[in-house]
């Protein structure tokens, strides 16, 4: 598989932040913001020893995991890994993602592959320990519009949105944790839109049948997402966890109590770290005064302080809570509370024996803000491992690149630049020069005839002049037709390049951030999943290119 250094990707392809680039290629520049380097053996040895020594309630954890993964359609390797988690010598490589419709964008697939393969590598490298891949379902998020849609590509390779609407229109009210939202009859319309957008191939019936077996009316977003991912990653032992479970929330009660009792300490730590970070880079997330939400009357609402520090309200409601009451909730009914983006990683690693977390570029950026927060709560900050990144190069794009002498970085550049390159390639035949040379050659030959004809019969000169005039006229007509033909050829070629580039950079962004995996397995079969798992190099730390052929 060919690769592109992240630093080579043009800004027009979405690009990556300088913080991410330094994290991958110049770790010393960002070392102060992270506890461990993700390269080398020593950081893993240290983190494994730390994670294995932590006292965890593995009994509760594994009981909840068995319960959840039974519902999620886990296979035997998954339950074997859950059983292993009862042992103190079993650790986890963790990743997480919102439970987006039909799996969300491609990067979800790449994060999952990275998690599975990194767990396998660490198990092989440290045989005294077992290492299992674990996927944290971020189903407590209440942003419905971030999870209710996917993008596919139409026949012009332009993105088409397929969405699920719980009602006739996008909801105006807070729907609460989307992971717990159940699909209703509106799902039928979603599948109708999918059927209209997805080209029919020999693989379509099997894929749609599998998808419909996972996404059914009455099923929650969490369950449908996990079952679909289990279908795609069958027999890889992937363990799914939803933290929105009363028994897990009881384990998180000390975290919630400390956040409330010492409010606004967490935010102060993040603000101080962010101020330092912003001297060179950027702050990815903004902390809240209190980094907790509350479930209330079916919604999930941010808990925010009022003018007095002893008094809180739920944002967007008229519900008020005294500090003592909030502490009581954290102690007695912690299932009513939900961590925000700042506390979610802390909650995750309080529950799990995490050795490494597989993160995308944005997650790596916000982990740079969290080191003091991990220290404050006494939770080990795991190794943050960059997920693999890739684009599919389909046959029509490869053919166009070969035909017009383009490389992948040129195609990723500004479309006007590519159009110029293609036009220059096609227009290597200069029509002005071609016709000027032809006209010159024929006029020279006819002028040479003039002297001979004059000797034979001077009256032939008039006929010769008529031939010259008609020749000019006919050559001009031919030239105009040639120019029009060349223009058509240019336009056809430019449309081909534009269409191919649209598939490479839909909406001007990398495929992995825009397009759902259905686009590719529908065209190239479910066997593509095995190829991705087999060929994706999770240690490359470059943008990888996977060539696809329809033959």
């Amino acid at each position: 598989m060919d690769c592109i250094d992240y630093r080579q990707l043009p800004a027009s392809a979405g690009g990556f932040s300088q913080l991410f680039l330094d994290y991958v290629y110049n770790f010393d520049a960002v070392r102060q913001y992270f506890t461990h380097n993700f390269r080398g053996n020593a950081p893993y040895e240290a983190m494994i020893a730390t994670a294995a020594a932590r006292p965890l309630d593995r009994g509760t954890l594994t009981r909840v995991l068995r319960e959840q993964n039974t519902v999620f359609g886990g296979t035997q390797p998954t339950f074997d890994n859950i059983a292993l988690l009862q042992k103190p010598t079993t650790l986890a490589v963790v990743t997480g993602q919102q439970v987006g419709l039909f799996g969300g964008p491609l990067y979800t697939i790449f994060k999952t592959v990275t998690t599975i393969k990194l767990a396998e590598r660490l198990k092989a490298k440290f045989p005294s320990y077992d290492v299992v891949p674990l996927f944290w379902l971020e189903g407590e998020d209440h942003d419905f519009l971030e999870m209710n849609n996917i993008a596919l590509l139409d026949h012009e390779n332009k993105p088409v949105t397929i969405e699920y609407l719980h009602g006739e229109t996008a909801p105006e009210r807070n729907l609460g944790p989307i992971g717990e939202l159940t699909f209703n009859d509106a799902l039928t319309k979603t599948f109708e839109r999918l059927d209209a957008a997805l080209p029919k191939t020999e693989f379509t019936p099997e894929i749609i049948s599998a998808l419909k077996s996972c996404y059914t009316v009455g099923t929650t977003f969490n369950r449908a997402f996990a079952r679909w991912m289990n279908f795609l990653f069958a027999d890889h032992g992937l363990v799914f966890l939803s933290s929105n479970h009363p028994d897990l929330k009881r384990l998180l009660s000390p975290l919630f109590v400390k956040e409330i009792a010492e409010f606004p300490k967490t935010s102060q730590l993040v603000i101080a770290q962010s101020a330092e970070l912003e001297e060179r880079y950027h702050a990815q997330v903004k902390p809240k005064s209190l980094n907790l939400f509350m479930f209330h009357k079916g919604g999930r609402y941010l808990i925010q302080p009022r003018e007095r520090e002893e008094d809180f309200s739920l944002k967007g409601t008229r519900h008020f809570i005294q500090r003592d009451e909030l502490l009581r909730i954290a102690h007695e009914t912690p299932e009513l509370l939900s961590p925000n983006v700042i506390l979610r990683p802390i909650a995750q690693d309080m529950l799990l024996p995490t050795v490494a977390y597989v993160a995308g570029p944005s997650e790596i950026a916000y982990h740079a803000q969290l080191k003091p927060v991990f220290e404050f709560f006494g939770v080990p900050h795991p190794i943050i491992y960059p997920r693999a990144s890739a684009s599919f190069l389909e046959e029509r794009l490869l053919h166009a690149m070969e035909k017009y002498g383009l490389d992948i970085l040129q195609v990723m550049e500004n479309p006007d630049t590519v159009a110029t390159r293609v036009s220059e390639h096609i227009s290597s035949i200069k029509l002005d020069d071609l016709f000027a040379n032809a006209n010159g050659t024929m006029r020279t030959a006819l002028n040479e005839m003039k002297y001979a004809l004059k000797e034979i019969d001077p009256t032939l000169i008039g006929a010769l002049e008529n031939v010259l005039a008609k020749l000019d006229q006919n050559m001009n007509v031919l030239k105009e037709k040639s120019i029009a033909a060349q223009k058509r050829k240019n336009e056809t070629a430019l449309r081909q390049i534009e269409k191919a580039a649209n598939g490479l950079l839909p909406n001007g962004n990398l495929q992995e951030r825009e397009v759902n995996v259905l686009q590719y397995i529908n065209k190239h079969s479910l066997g593509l999943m095995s190829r991705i798992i087999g060929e994706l190099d999770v240690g490359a730390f470059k943008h990888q290119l996977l060539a696809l052929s329809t033959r």
Side-chain angles (χ1 to χ4, degrees), residues 241-256:
L241 181 148
S242 168
S243 63
N244 196 17
H245 187 288
D247 292 348
L248 298 182
K249 288 293 177 71
R250 277 192 280 276
L251 297 181
L252 293 175
S253 175
L255 169 67
F256 300 155

Side-chain angles (χ1 to χ4, degrees), residues 58-70 72 82 240-243 245-248 251:
R58 290 177 181 259
T60 298
L61 175 64
T62 53
R63 176 172 53 77
V64 172
L65 288 175
R66 282 194 297 272
E67 172 191 318
Q68 292 184 340
N69 283 270
T70 298
F72 295 155
I82 292 172
F240 288 91
L241 181 148
S242 168
S243 63
H245 187 288
D247 292 348
L248 298 182
L251 297 181

